[in-house]
Amino acid sequence: MTETPDPWLMIIGIGEDGPDGLSHAARQAMEAATFVAGSPRHLSLLPPLRAEHLSWPVPFDDGIAALLARRGRPTVMLASGDPFWFGAGASITRHLLPGEWTAYPAPSTFALAAARLGWPLQEVECHGLHAAPLQRLRPSLVPGRRILILLRDGRAVADLAAYLTDSGFGPSTLHVLEALGGPRERIRTVPANGIDFTDIAHPVTVGLGIAGEGRTLPRASGLADDWFDHDGQLTKRPARALTLSALAPRPGETLWDIGTGSGSIAIEWLLSHPATQALAFEADPARAARARGNASALGADRLTVIEGEAPDILRDRTRPDALFIGGGLSEALLETLYALPGGPTRLVANAVTLESEALLARWHGRKGGDLLRIELAQAVPLGSRHGWRAAYPLVQWSVIL
């Protein structure tokens, strides 16, 4: 039986109202501490401290070792609002054993913003974009929807307004909420395409009401092909929808997209849920760059693109939850994937050439799984009328490794 350690670290959420907003228990923890760590802004909210204190450095990870060196002694770490909602709490506790800390959350900035705007928080998307690109919002830009966004500073508010305007959502309403909960609190409302002030105080949150005629990104698998920049190497929309269905993404899972081309399969995998991950392998540097660009533009910047030839680049790796082979299908590649440790892994491979079809037929005979032949035709002008133009048949093999 493992003995639970005594808590030595008190993670205290603090708002712009400083010590006045702390609970009785949080105040007692502060008084008992011999060491207090926090950002300069957090420390400035407190009266003079008797305890030794550390102004947390930038980048954040540089302060972790100094905090852990206090192990066993009563220590306070200050964080904004709720430390475990886009806060510093989880960044610290992953280095600790269960029972080493106690947390005292304060109202989150999201809760304060929703209260000021009268928005039901359960119906509002919440994003922390201090260090993340604004393109993360792309799947959420739907007229009529509401979003709360934590931003790093006032300049980021201007960047957000420009991004919305460039994307066709200039009429969207920005509620700029500054220093919520404290004496400096201020709220101003302006359309994204009409923002005309720059004196925005930190910390800043934006309540965003989406409006405009911008293009909306569908949530179903099988995005229109023109969402992706490509050079022709693209799994077309109907086949992509069938491929994603066979890959069956689930929260927390990782995909390898081998021969990613434009990155469309990996990107749609990532768009299926924010907790998914994907690695894309591509031998052509231009295509690898194109996949990165597509991922960034569509809010799937979690995509990791690795340049190199398969199967060599896959050796010494552990198989993920799902594999897709869109390019470079070969006997050696399949043998390599089967030999890798890991599993169970869902493998989906697409083929359009006779040689690749024959390869998949042989492996289907050896390993089982499902073999699907997909034949599609599209109506096109034929003189003054229309006729069917058939695409190359696609053979898809899906199997559990």
Side-chain angles (χ1 to χ4, degrees), residues 9-381:
L9 179 63
M10 312 302 158
I11 305 173
I12 297 179
I14 189 169
E16 288 296 300
D17 51 358
D20 292 342
L22 298 180
S23 67
H24 178 67
R27 291 185 188 185
Q28 286 186 316
M30 286 285 295
E31 292 170 1
T34 59
F35 186 82
V36 177
S39 71
R41 181 173 65 84
H42 292 145
L43 293 173
S44 71
L45 296 170
L46 300 175
L49 296 170
R50 295 193 304 270
E52 181 185 357
H53 55 276
L54 167 70
S55 182
W56 202 273
V58 177
F60 181 87
D61 287 350
D62 288 355
I64 293 176
L67 189 71
L68 297 180
R70 301 289 307 179
R71 185 176 257 120
R73 290 170 283 178
T75 301
V76 162
M77 175 187 171
L78 299 173
S80 295
D82 185 341
F84 291 91
W85 198 358
F86 293 107
S91 299
I92 292 297
T93 55
R94 66 168 174 253
H95 299 280
L96 304 176
L97 297 173
E100 284 195 272
W101 76 89
T102 301
Y104 302 93
S108 70
T109 305
F110 294 123
L112 293 174
R116 299 296 188 273
L117 299 174
W119 290 359
L121 196 52
Q122 74 275 9
E123 298 176 7
V124 177
E125 285 193 37
C126 297
H127 293 267
L129 300 183
H130 296 95
L134 294 171
Q135 286 82 357
R136 288 266 180 100
L137 297 172
R138 192 63 188 84
S140 304
L141 297 183
V142 179
R145 299 297 295 167
R146 292 169 171 173
I147 307 174
L148 290 173
I149 310 164
L150 306 182
L151 294 170
R152 67 180 183 275
D153 54 27
R155 180 176 296 178
V157 177
D159 293 341
L160 171 63
Y163 173 66
L164 292 168
T165 300
D166 292 344
S167 301
F169 297 98
S172 297
T173 300
L174 300 184
H175 302 279
V176 182
L177 307 106
E178 305 161 65
L180 287 176
R184 300 183 298 123
E185 178 176 311
R186 179 169 59 176
I187 301 174
R188 291 177 284 181
T189 300
V190 65
N193 56 11
I195 190 167
D196 58 356
F197 51 85
T198 58
D199 58 332
I200 300 173
H202 178 74
V204 59
T205 303
V206 170
L208 177 58
I210 305 297
E213 301 297 326
R215 194 177 183 194
T216 299
L217 188 67
R219 290 300 181 101
S221 296
L223 297 178
D225 295 345
D226 61 0
W227 279 102
F228 303 96
D229 179 26
H230 62 91
D231 61 359
Q233 188 182 22
L234 174 76
T235 302
K236 300 300 191 292
R237 180 183 60 81
R240 194 177 337 114
L242 290 169
T243 300
L244 266 296
S245 176
L247 287 169
R250 299 163 190 164
E253 290 189 330
T254 299
L255 168 76
W256 286 1
D257 183 353
I258 302 170
T260 194
S262 65
S264 62
I265 294 292
I267 290 169
E268 290 215 36
W269 169 280
L270 292 171
L271 292 176
S272 70
H273 194 276
T276 52
Q277 300 295 324
L279 277 69
F281 298 91
E282 177 56 57
D284 186 310
R287 286 175 173 166
R290 189 175 290 112
R292 293 188 187 99
N294 283 330
S296 176
L298 295 176
D301 57 287
R302 305 190 308 284
L303 179 64
T304 299
V305 181
I306 301 173
E307 296 182 31
E309 293 276 356
D312 292 343
I313 198 169
L314 305 176
R315 302 188 196 281
D316 301 321
R317 298 178 183 269
T318 300
R319 285 202 315 259
D321 304 287
L323 285 163
F324 172 63
I325 304 174
L329 179 63
S330 68
E331 190 88 28
L333 175 56
L334 292 174
E335 289 175 350
T336 297
L337 293 175
Y338 265 87
L340 291 177
T345 298
R346 303 185 298 279
L347 168 66
V348 177
N350 290 349
V352 293
T353 67
L354 293 175
E355 293 78 7
S356 295
E357 284 188 27
L359 176 62
L360 293 187
R362 289 198 305 273
W363 278 78
H364 173 255
R366 292 166 53 186
K367 301 294 185 180
D370 294 319
L371 199 62
L372 178 69
R373 182 180 172 91
I374 305 165
E375 297 190 56
L376 298 169
Q378 185 173 6
V380 296

